[in-house]
Amino acid sequence: MEKSVGDSNSRKSTDAHGRYGIQIGYRTLSIRVDEKVAADAKPKKSADPADAIAAIDVHLIPTDQVYVRYSCSPTVGLESAAVERRLKDGKNIISPPPTQYWLKALNYIFGGFNFLMWIAFVVTILSYKPLGQPPEAFNLGVAVLLMLVIVVSATFYALVDWNANRIMKSIKSLIAHEAAVVREGNQQLVPANDIVVGDIVVLSTGDRVPADLRIVQMSSDLRFDRSLLTGESDMIPGSLDATSDNALETRNLALTSTFVTQGTCHGVVFATGDRTVMGRLVRMSGETKFKLTTIQREIWFFTKVISSVALSLFCFSLLLYGVWLRKSYPGYENISNAIVNSIGCLTAFVPQGLPVCVALSLTVIARRMAKRNVLVKNLATIETLGCISVLCSDKTGTLTAGKMAVASIAFLDASMKAGEIEGRVAEAADPRVYAGLDAMHKITRLCNGAKFDAGTADRPVAERVVKGDPTDTALLRFSEALSVPSLNIDTSSLLSSSRRLFEIPFNSKNKWMLSVIEVNDVVDSSISEKQSRNWIFAKGAPDILFRSCSTIMTSNGSVVPFDAFAKEQLSVLQSAWSNEGQRVLALCRKPLDVFKGDLPPSDLEQVMYGEMQDLTLVGLVGIRDPPRPDVPASIDVIRRAGVRVFMVTGDFKLTAAAIARQVGIVTQERIDTIDDIRATKYPEDIRPSLVKPSVDDPIRALLLTGEDVATLTPADWNVIIGSYTEIVFARTTPDQKMSIVENIKARGDNTVAVTGDGVNDAPALKASDIGVAMGSGSDVAKEAAALILLNNDFASIPVAIEMGRLVFDNLKKVTLYLMPVGSYTEFMGVFANVLLGMQIPLSSYLQVCFSITNDVVMSISLMYEKAEADLMLRKPRNARTDRLTDWRLFFQIYLFLGLMAWPCCMAMWFVYMHQNGLGFYDVILTYNQWQDGWKGKTADELSNLVNTGQCIYYVTMVFIQYGNLLAIRNRRVSLLQSSPLWGPRRNLIVPMGMVGTALIAIVNLYGPGLQKVFNTTPIPAMFWGPPFGFALAILIVDELRKLIVRTYPKSIVAKMAW
């Protein structure tokens, strides 16, 4: 639905015949031109995108010819009928590059550890035929099982990937992309997808360019960010004339997906959707490059290490057979059996459940993020957010609600609350004592970049929709609501009697906005000011504009010199308002004798800069922007998680400090300044990674301005990053914000997140490790960010941090769960077979089955584990040094849990053999003696003993994992405080997984088909019980370890704790 955002009192030609004559003229022309546009809009399918870009010539024709070519009026825009016709040419949507499904399929089939399964499959087929003489059904069964593993894994990866993408696409659809266009003589908001060729689009600071435009009107300071097209981050100035024959180089075109970083402009659409330059480039370039996130790098590193070890052991096992066992112990194994047993090195050493759990974690994250309306451009970046050690946050619209309202106004001799104005005037004996309100009203209304939506003009002022900056919006609502008949203050009459001639929009470097206004009636002024039809109106930061003022207005409209006493008086008032958290603006004006409107925009801008002196300071306006209600509690949670929160804002230092205190960023009474930094001694020649506050250091607060930041040396930055926990950076420019982020990243191994919503935040968002934008923010900020809070919910940030930590924590638990039994214990069986001459205690089938069914079913439950109580009380993980697997984890795997698990399994194997008359040395080191007649047993009896022993070993592994799982669920907390059946850590998938893995074991042992093919068999009843005892023993031992860790946190046991 279209919404008009044009001013309801927008200037219209008084010559009705002339206006409609133009309209009719264009209407007559459109019959002929629409056909040409439609024809041009449908290029031949064989057209080369590069040739189509080279053929663009709209930038080379005069502005008036642009209107003629695309059949639109410079004042009326397009009519509804023309829009309807042109919409038939297709929506303004760039088709995504064609997905290379074959590459995706290959990744699913061979990704993770599947390529090792393919190797195992191929060699198993070879061991069946031609190496198997005669071919054994067991080998073929193992090959079929391996293929089933590959198919199931690939299908699972594909389904999880599809599901995660589906959830994120549904969230992405919640972002509304709209554009302001001129249609039927009104400025309207329309969906960006509905823009057509010939539309006149109105762009302002922060907007994404919705289609390819030829610029026809512009402010002198117009700048674009073309980094998506060119890769260059420098701002490109706009132009009305061609600066190059090349459409990609000229500056009088605004191309799709670029951004307006400064200024305003009007442009005529000459291409939409796939016919835009960006659309054609997408067709030429195909898919974007893939970049690994931190967790993906960790998994890839772990996969490479494990795969290399597994392949090495597999080759070593075959080599041993070839050079030693085959010659020294002929008859011990044939080549077919040697290959199948060696496959155990691949299946035993590989934690097949890990890639499954990584894939599953994406779906879990996607669902949780979707519930909070958080858009994550790459789900895997959530883990990076869990690593952040510093959060740099903008103030306006991020920490504050972005719902600004004028709270106070002041002249030299009077100040009042905004709600008291009309009452004060009514109570005055002579309303003229507040004549200065007229000048203040004019400046707040006419020197303003915001506009009301005409479709909501019938609503109360506070409820009308406004397009514009929050500060301008506050002033617009204030001036619209201000009506004082006794002083002739009326917005409607003001708009009808004035015209804007020139404008320099607000930018973060100047920190002021200037408008040149032609006023048709006489402006009330002091005798000391000249009567003039043209006026310069300016508003901006008081500390900047005070320098340009020579006179000041009193409440009755008279003008007096702006001397030191007056400056001191207003500075004190500014400080008082700022300490209350108000943003303070100075309002200024100056009569303009001559306006040289015929000058080029850039020259005219320089003239206006020269006029920024000898201004009259009309008064001050205080704007209140309350903190978001969820921010203080969120910052408290973030700080307790060991993350330092800094404020980086362009606002005045006292306002910034006041808001920082209100939201909890600053808690100290004393706030240091740059002088305290320079007086602090910090170790020289210290490694950058060590520049960070110590746990024992006192909390110190610091306030720096942009001017301070510009003078900082590397030694100063060491003091700042290494000594301060609470920092406020005020009056900073976008370049300084980016410099702040880069200096923080360069020290202390910090992972830096930046939150923001404005154009001036975009450079810092790009420079950070994780950029977080508000859903109500500018298009530039949302493009630069990795995370978008669609509901502007700051409380989602600590949740995302917790989820990032939880993902890493759970993957660590999965690794710790899989390796001791599913890898270490299985491998010890293969080791005993190859090197110690014992029959393999776990068949290749049971190895593969355990790794890809029992272990996966149980490990999935770990991905649904909730956060441990201390997760958000730990220090942030150092993404550069703390790996998924470190020496503590390997100690836990191989010298603690694994060292209890495999001897238990092996003991059950030997106990069973002993019950059947075979002692320890009758089983081990037997090599080729294990054959018919060994210890008086036939070959069939020996074979049955091995088959049953293998099933006992398997069952022991299955139930020992119960103890491992319950022990691994918590790093330090006792199971008694974190039951999976009740309480805050309830996870019913744990008992479901236990039941599932037990059922798999029963099916393996009692399934008739499996018994026939894979030689599985039921086991004696007595061997079902002890594995539960082993599991309980492992759990008790680990509970004792945790007790020691909790009781003696500085002991060697605590230092080795994972």
Side-chain angles (χ1 to χ4, degrees), residues 1032-1052:
L1032 180 61
I1034 289 175
L1035 180 59
I1036 291 172
V1037 172
D1038 193 66
E1039 285 288 306
L1040 291 174
R1041 180 192 67 82
K1042 292 173 185 173
L1043 179 63
I1044 295 172
V1045 170
R1046 294 194 302 270
T1047 308
Y1048 305 102
K1050 295 186 178 180
S1051 65
I1052 187 171

Side-chain angles (χ1 to χ4, degrees), residues 76-350:
V76 178
L78 289 178
E79 298 168 314
S80 298
V83 172
E84 291 298 326
R85 287 196 301 272
R86 298 183 188 193
L87 274 173
K88 295 177 181 177
D89 293 334
K91 290 280 190 179
N92 179 34
I93 300 174
I94 296 178
S95 304
T99 303
Q100 295 177 308
Y101 290 105
W102 65 275
L103 278 179
K104 278 198 166 189
L106 286 177
N107 186 50
Y108 297 146
I109 294 170
F110 295 100
F113 294 110
N114 271 0
F115 78 98
L116 290 180
M117 296 300 105
W118 276 106
I119 295 174
F121 171 76
V122 170
V123 295
T124 306
I125 288 293
L126 292 176
S127 70
Y128 175 69
K129 279 186 178 181
L131 299 179
Q133 297 298 332
E136 296 184 17
F138 178 89
N139 293 354
L140 180 60
V142 170
V144 170
L145 177 64
L146 288 170
M147 178 52 65
L148 184 63
V149 170
I150 293 169
V151 171
V152 171
S153 296
T155 304
F156 182 82
Y157 297 152
L159 288 175
V160 166
D161 187 30
W162 171 81
N163 192 36
N165 288 333
R166 179 183 60 82
I167 294 172
M168 280 299 103
K169 282 181 180 178
S170 68
I171 293 297
K172 193 174 291 187
S173 66
L174 296 177
I175 300 179
H177 293 291
E178 293 183 318
V181 299
V182 177
R183 290 180 181 174
E184 300 282 1
N186 289 319
Q187 186 172 310
Q188 305 172 349
L189 275 180
V190 301
N193 294 345
D194 291 341
I195 287 176
V196 298
V197 172
D199 261 327
I200 298 177
V201 176
V202 181
L203 297 174
S204 56
T205 302
D207 287 347
R208 177 199 289 266
V209 180
D212 284 356
L213 315 176
R214 164 63 193 273
I215 300 172
V216 291
Q217 295 179 40
M218 56 170 275
S219 62
S220 58
D221 64 338
L222 181 64
R223 299 289 186 276
F224 291 97
D225 176 357
R226 287 190 171 186
S227 57
L228 280 178
L229 276 177
T230 65
E232 299 293 332
S233 58
D234 295 337
M235 290 195 298
I236 306 298
S239 170
L240 290 176
D241 302 314
T243 57
S244 170
D245 290 342
N246 187 335
L248 295 177
E249 298 291 336
T250 187
R251 295 178 178 177
N252 65 338
L253 297 183
L255 302 177
T256 306
S257 297
T258 60
F259 296 91
V260 181
T261 57
Q262 192 171 304
T264 60
C265 72
H266 287 47
V268 176
V269 176
F270 67 87
T272 59
D274 290 334
R275 295 180 289 276
T276 62
V277 169
M278 178 61 79
R280 298 183 191 281
L281 290 176
V282 167
R283 286 175 56 195
M284 292 166 60
S285 60
E287 293 200 1
T288 54
K289 293 182 179 179
F290 178 72
K291 182 180 178 182
L292 289 176
T293 61
T294 52
I295 191 62
Q296 289 167 334
R297 285 196 297 268
E298 288 294 325
I299 297 299
W300 176 235
F301 172 79
F302 183 68
T303 301
K304 287 191 296 184
V305 171
I306 293 297
S307 299
S308 300
V309 172
L311 278 172
S312 299
L313 290 175
F314 172 72
C315 296
F316 179 67
S317 176
L318 289 180
L319 185 65
L320 280 179
Y321 170 79
V323 301
W324 176 44
L325 293 176
R326 185 170 59 87
K327 295 180 180 179
S328 301
Y329 302 101
Y332 176 44
E333 286 179 335
N334 58 34
I335 181 63
S336 177
N337 289 337
I339 289 176
V340 171
N341 288 341
S342 297
I343 286 173
C345 295
L346 295 178
T347 57
F349 218 79
V350 171

Side-chain angles (χ1 to χ4, degrees), residues 26 79 312 328 443 474 538 594 622 741 775 820 975 994:
Y26 278 101
E79 298 168 314
S312 299
S328 301
I443 297 172
V594 179
V741 172
L975 177 66
M994 290 179 173

Side-chain angles (χ1 to χ4, degrees), residues 509-539:
K509 291 186 178 179
N510 293 340
K511 298 195 181 298
W512 49 258
M513 175 183 180
L514 176 147
S515 295
V516 179
I517 305 295
E518 179 186 16
V519 183
N520 293 325
D521 60 348
V522 178
V523 175
D524 293 329
S525 62
S526 170
I527 297 175
S528 60
E529 287 185 307
K530 298 177 181 178
Q531 299 293 336
S532 176
R533 290 178 60 85
N534 297 331
W535 288 80
I536 292 176
F537 290 159
K539 71 173 191 290

Side-chain angles (χ1 to χ4, degrees), residues 1003-1015:
V1003 169
N1004 273 325
L1005 268 58
Y1006 293 91
L1010 298 176
Q1011 290 178 349
K1012 183 176 181 180
V1013 176
F1014 298 113
N1015 300 322

Side-chain angles (χ1 to χ4, degrees), residues 385 387-394 398-399 631 634-639 642-648 665 725-729 740-741 744 750-756 765 768-774 787 789 794 796-798 801 876:
L385 192 57
C387 299
I388 71 167
S389 54
V390 175
L391 174 64
C392 294
S393 180
D394 179 42
T398 304
L399 298 174
V631 168
S634 300
I635 287 181
D636 182 55
V637 172
I638 293 170
R639 290 190 60 171
V643 180
R644 290 185 284 172
V645 184
F646 300 160
M647 179 189 287
V648 186
I665 290 178
T725 307
E726 304 173 346
I727 306 178
V728 175
F729 297 95
I740 289 166
V741 172
I744 296 172
N750 285 310
T751 299
V752 182
V754 171
T755 67
L765 288 168
S768 67
D769 295 296
I770 285 283
V772 182
M774 295 293 165
L787 201 75
L789 310 180
F794 193 89
S796 294
I797 295 177
I801 292 174

